[in-house]
Amino acid sequence: DPITPEDAPASATVAAQPVPTAPRVIGYFTNWAHHRKAPCAFKTSDVRAELFTHINYSFPGVKASADKESYELAPTSPEDETRLYAEVVALKQKNPKLEVLLSVGGWAFNDKPTEWIFSAMSETPARRASFIRHATDYLRRFGFDGLDIDWEFPVAADRGGRPEDKANFTALLRELRAHFREESAKSGRPELKLTIAAPAGFLFYQNLELDQIHEPLDWINLMTYDYHGDWDKKTGANAPLIDQGADIEESIAAYVAAGTPRGKLVLGFATYARGFGGVESATPGSPASLPGPEGPCGKDSLMVHHVADWVKSGRYQETWDVVTQTPYAYSKKEKAWITYENTKSYGIKLDFL
């Protein structure tokens, strides 16, 4: 049945199901990776479904009506609805315990010309209701098990945000949970999951109602990476467990202090590396004046296994940073410095959880 603004509780506490103790292993399948040329393409047939408890299909967007009063999920690739949704959902045949969620938004969706849509959609009960109604039908039609919202980021003015986003985002999540629960009761089908990708940095998480948003969510995918990059103009760890500033330990502590159960936090692991160029010293924090080395598939394609190969070949020298509990690699010849992960740093992060 259609929902109306009156049906959507703006302030009632609508909690998700109790937090399970079983670990979650979540992977994002992006709808652009299959377009790359061999050997860089990544297709659904390449996914090892047995390794995951959940896969998030990313990223569709949100489409507004001409009068900007109605909103609905919309594919961002012509192959989403015709092929790729079905192929990813079909991975459940290989792993019957696997659940597949649809992840909407992403970083690029909050670039122009769509940067305003999340903020506008969540602004009023009527607009939120139109999105919720369509999203529920859409998820069921294509066989998804839930919705993951990747809004990057509420309130942030340079990302299309406004101050009212803080409360409106909480309202959107509560109303989604309430409708998912109602739909499940009427249809007899399992209740749809509801999750978000959440910022790890104070600049962005200060704009979330951390003491409230965890309640309607099944879990929170914490983006514990991108703490440092070439935008800093000096070298630094991409995902420092501990640092003298922002780090994973601080991020998790902030969410827990606000009331988020630790069992609802999913730690984001970076399987990519970040490079810095024009670096004269291997010491972390050294000035960097140029872009770093690229991976074999072009811009933003440098993966941790590429760096491991470069270290093994002697092209780069690996050093363990005891402060951040991460490795880095340096080439004096290339004047390049790379922050990445290895089995040791991944293991330490798992132990920290």
Side-chain angles (χ1 to χ4, degrees):
D1 294 337
I3 60 173
T4 66
E6 291 74 21
D7 294 328
S11 59
T13 298
V14 184
Q17 297 298 326
V19 179
T21 56
R24 306 181 191 93
V25 181
I26 303 167
Y28 281 78
F29 180 87
T30 59
N31 64 358
W32 61 83
H34 69 287
H35 285 303
R36 298 175 184 146
K37 295 181 180 179
C40 299
F42 190 84
K43 303 179 183 298
T44 51
S45 57
D46 297 316
V47 178
R48 294 182 58 188
E50 75 277 7
L51 298 179
F52 300 96
T53 60
H54 301 83
I55 291 177
N56 288 356
Y57 184 103
S58 56
F59 291 105
V62 179
K63 181 174 67 174
S65 61
D67 63 2
K68 298 182 180 180
E69 291 299 326
S70 296
Y71 295 82
E72 59 184 47
L73 287 175
T76 53
S77 167
E79 296 176 283
D80 283 343
E81 296 183 346
T82 61
R83 180 173 65 86
L84 290 177
Y85 285 168
E87 289 184 5
V88 175
V89 170
L91 292 172
K92 293 192 286 185
Q93 297 174 12
K94 297 182 178 180
N95 177 5
K97 295 182 178 180
L98 178 69
E99 292 187 311
V100 180
L101 283 72
L102 192 63
S103 187
V104 57
W107 177 265
F109 188 72
N110 274 95
D111 288 335
K112 294 182 183 300
T114 53
E115 81 285 355
W116 59 275
I117 291 182
F118 270 128
S119 183
M121 177 271 286
S122 64
E123 185 173 10
T124 70
R127 293 177 185 177
R128 296 193 296 267
S130 70
F131 172 77
I132 293 168
R133 179 175 59 250
H134 180 270
T136 305
D137 293 343
Y138 195 87
L139 294 170
R140 291 301 194 194
R141 174 155 50 107
F142 290 102
F144 289 102
D145 299 297
L147 181 68
D148 175 64
I149 298 181
D150 191 353
W151 179 356
E152 301 187 28
F153 296 99
V155 182
D158 61 338
R159 307 291 297 154
R162 299 174 295 169
E164 53 265 41
D165 294 344
K166 189 170 186 176
N168 291 341
F169 189 35
T170 304
L172 173 65
L173 298 177
R174 285 175 170 160
E175 292 161 16
L176 275 162
R177 170 59 63 197
H179 189 62
F180 285 175
R181 184 153 297 164
E182 180 183 1
E183 186 273 343
S184 175
K186 289 181 178 179
S187 69
R189 303 175 72 175
E191 187 172 329
L192 291 165
K193 296 287 192 300
L194 179 62
T195 68
I196 63 170
F202 174 78
L203 179 66
F204 296 118
Y205 71 61
Q206 68 175 327
N207 295 324
L208 303 178
E209 294 181 328
L210 294 186
D211 60 330
Q212 301 177 52
I213 61 168
H214 64 87
E215 294 174 350
L217 296 172
D218 288 284
W219 63 82
I220 295 171
N221 298 308
L222 199 55
M223 294 185 281
T224 42
Y225 36 77
D226 295 341
Y227 288 88
H228 298 289
D230 58 10
W231 55 85
D232 291 328
K233 305 303 180 184
K234 62 180 181 178
T235 59
N238 180 43
L241 181 61
I242 303 169
D243 204 344
Q244 296 177 342
D247 54 51
I248 292 173
E249 186 177 56
E250 184 273 337
S251 300
I252 291 178
Y255 279 79
V256 172
T260 305
R262 289 184 71 95
K264 279 194 174 185
L265 291 174
V266 177
L267 189 65
F269 275 19
T271 56
Y272 61 91
R274 287 198 175 278
F276 303 76
V279 182
E280 299 288 347
S281 170
T283 304
S286 297
S289 58
L290 297 170
E294 294 184 350
C297 298
K299 182 177 172 58
D300 296 330
S301 72
L302 185 59
M303 299 290 116
V304 296
H305 64 275
H306 298 143
V307 184
D309 289 343
W310 293 351
V311 168
K312 187 177 180 179
S313 71
R315 177 179 168 184
Y316 278 75
Q317 287 71 51
E318 181 181 71
T319 303
W320 179 257
D321 184 358
V322 296
V323 176
T324 64
Q325 296 291 285
T326 62
Y328 61 87
Y330 180 69
S331 169
K332 184 175 182 180
K333 179 181 179 180
E334 299 180 26
K335 296 184 179 181
W337 193 96
I338 302 173
T339 171
Y340 63 111
E341 302 282 342
N342 60 16
T343 54
K344 181 178 179 179
S345 63
Y346 283 140
I348 290 173
K349 289 179 170 69
L350 285 171
D351 291 340
F352 177 75
L353 283 177

